[in-house]
Amino acid sequence: MQSILPRIKLLRYRVFLSVTSAGVHLRQGTLAELSWLLGESIRERVAQGGETRRWRRAVTPWEESGWVRAVMGSRRRFPVWPEIRWPVDTIILFLPRKRFYGQGELLSFEIKLMGEHADHSFFLEYILPALESLGYTRVPWRKRASYLLWGHFDVRHVYVARGLRWEPLVQDGEADLRARPQPDQWMDGWPLEPPPGRSFSAIRWTRPFVTEDMVSRARPAKPVPPTLSTLLAASVERLAGLLTAGDVAALWQELSPDEQADLMDAVEQARSVAVSRHTLQAKRRLRGAPVNLEGEQAFAEQIPPAIIPYLELGSILHIGRYLHFGYGTFRLLE
């Protein structure tokens, strides 16, 4: 794996918003609204540079699904969120700690830029101005608009990841324009290998894992935890999607003979590790969110060390469906 790590381009930003109104309510649909509003704002800004066609295709699925009509109040039922893929591979990891934030309180989320187009200039020139604009622009598409997040916040702080550390990029609303984060600094000191003396035998889904069959379900089915083989395969497929346009065979050829042997060994070991128990629960599609599984799952024995680096990468890069919305990330548990 060491041979392909330098090719993984990733920029991670942690954004802190300060509420400027008496208070705002967050719902499950707030994440979808953030994606659509950001996408529309970026499309308008990109149009000035002549790249409007790619961004028009990127945000069109919202309208085609009927979600925009629903959020504006002309439909009672919310359709399932569409699969969104921006021209720049972007993940919005939205993990609010509560549903109501009062004036002056900070709420945070993470934005990840991935792939060959991951570049700090895109964040600085498009995403940050779009966020700032959403902070003072009212979106009157529902009653009680005063409790919506949009139009009621300031971008207070932004940090960029360097390995496990977060370095300041925006402090008290002032951006450091001299900073030049690089798309390879995410791995500085990142512990992909398991620390000596520690072993892992369970995972907690920080954001749900969505598979193909879950997307087509009208109602939640009985939770079935993914096997270790499924998680390993999904992590490898995610790597292939970023590095070789989804061609797993091409990714295999880029590994050294020793790395190929290690991966084959990991595949064989994964088949022998069963899921022993889980607390996964299937959630309903609130405001169009896809059916998903949340909770923890434990394995009958410790996860083989050869598999850990691939799972660590999978948790950072996200696996499964609906990656744009931050789905498919987890934590390894001892």
Side-chain angles (χ1 to χ4, degrees), residues 48 91 113 120 141 157 161 184-185 221 226 239 242:
Q48 301 175 11
I91 288 176
L113 304 181
H120 178 59
W141 56 31
H157 309 297
D184 60 354
Q185 69 180 47
L239 278 172
L242 287 174

Side-chain angles (χ1 to χ4, degrees), residues 209-253:
F209 179 61
V210 181
T211 59
E212 187 73 33
D213 63 315
M214 292 180 192
V215 178
S216 59
R217 293 176 189 164
R219 296 180 180 178
K222 182 179 179 181
V224 178
T227 66
L228 192 57
S229 292
T230 298
L231 298 178
L232 177 58
S235 298
V236 173
E237 289 171 2
R238 178 59 171 152
L239 278 172
L242 287 174
L243 300 180
T244 57
D247 190 338
V248 175
L251 177 67
W252 172 263
Q253 293 300 322

Side-chain angles (χ1 to χ4, degrees), residues 28-69:
Q28 193 166 13
T30 301
L31 171 58
E33 294 171 6
L34 175 59
S35 169
W36 184 66
L37 290 169
L38 271 182
E40 281 291 311
S41 180
I42 293 172
R43 179 186 62 81
E44 293 174 359
R45 295 173 187 275
V46 168
Q48 301 175 11
E51 296 185 25
T52 184
R53 181 177 299 178
R54 289 196 306 157
W55 278 92
R56 179 70 265 173
R57 288 199 302 264
V59 297
T60 294
W62 281 121
E63 299 172 1
E64 293 179 340
S65 70
W67 182 89
V68 176
R69 294 193 300 275

Side-chain angles (χ1 to χ4, degrees), residues 56-245:
R56 179 70 265 173
R57 288 199 302 264
V59 297
T60 294
W62 281 121
E63 299 172 1
E64 293 179 340
S65 70
W67 182 89
V68 176
R69 294 193 300 275
V71 80
M72 289 185 175
S74 58
R75 292 180 59 176
R76 293 185 177 181
R77 298 185 63 182
F78 282 78
V80 180
W81 298 352
E83 283 268 30
I84 300 298
R85 291 181 175 84
W86 286 0
V88 177
D89 193 343
T90 305
I91 288 176
I92 305 173
L93 185 57
F94 198 61
L95 295 170
R97 296 180 180 274
K98 53 185 181 177
R99 298 185 63 182
F100 181 84
Y101 286 79
Q103 187 170 20
E105 287 193 275
L106 297 177
L107 64 94
S108 69
F109 60 95
E110 186 175 334
I111 293 178
K112 299 181 180 182
L113 304 181
M114 299 183 178
E116 60 177 327
H117 299 298
D119 187 271
H120 178 59
S121 62
F122 174 71
F123 179 84
L124 207 59
E125 296 174 17
Y126 295 102
I127 293 182
L128 186 57
L131 278 174
E132 291 173 338
S133 176
L134 288 178
Y136 57 78
T137 303
R138 301 292 179 92
V139 184
W141 56 31
R142 287 201 197 104
K143 295 179 180 179
R144 303 182 69 181
S146 60
Y147 288 100
L148 291 176
L149 177 61
W150 325 120
H152 301 117
F153 68 82
D154 289 328
V155 179
R156 181 62 59 84
H157 309 297
V158 179
Y159 296 85
V160 62
R162 181 182 296 276
L164 297 176
R165 306 190 313 274
W166 292 93
E167 300 176 343
L169 186 65
V170 176
Q171 292 285 279
D172 294 321
E174 295 294 329
D176 182 1
L177 300 179
R178 298 170 300 175
R180 292 291 183 270
Q182 299 301 310
D184 60 354
Q185 69 180 47
W186 68 271
M187 66 175 120
D188 286 0
W190 191 278
L192 290 176
E193 302 290 340
R198 296 183 63 188
S199 61
F200 302 94
S201 59
I203 63 173
R204 176 185 299 125
W205 290 101
T206 307
R207 287 292 290 158
F209 179 61
V210 181
T211 59
E212 187 73 33
D213 63 315
M214 292 180 192
V215 178
S216 59
R217 293 176 189 164
R219 296 180 180 178
K222 182 179 179 181
V224 178
T227 66
L228 192 57
S229 292
T230 298
L231 298 178
L232 177 58
S235 298
V236 173
E237 289 171 2
R238 178 59 171 152
L239 278 172
L242 287 174
L243 300 180
T244 57

Side-chain angles (χ1 to χ4, degrees), residues 235-287:
S235 298
V236 173
E237 289 171 2
R238 178 59 171 152
L239 278 172
L242 287 174
L243 300 180
T244 57
D247 190 338
V248 175
L251 177 67
W252 172 263
Q253 293 300 322
E254 293 190 7
L255 298 176
S256 69
D258 288 343
E259 290 172 334
Q260 291 177 348
D262 289 343
L263 179 54
M264 288 298 298
D265 184 49
V267 170
E268 290 298 322
Q269 293 185 62
R271 292 172 179 168
S272 63
V273 181
V275 177
S276 61
R277 56 184 173 80
H278 71 87
T279 60
L280 299 182
Q281 295 182 340
K283 302 295 184 179
R284 294 185 297 111
R285 289 174 173 167
L286 299 176
R287 293 189 179 274

Side-chain angles (χ1 to χ4, degrees), residues 320-334:
R321 302 287 299 272
Y322 291 93
L323 302 183
H324 174 71
F325 302 104
Y327 279 45
T329 184
F330 55 88
R331 291 180 56 195
L332 293 169
L333 304 177
E334 295 186 75

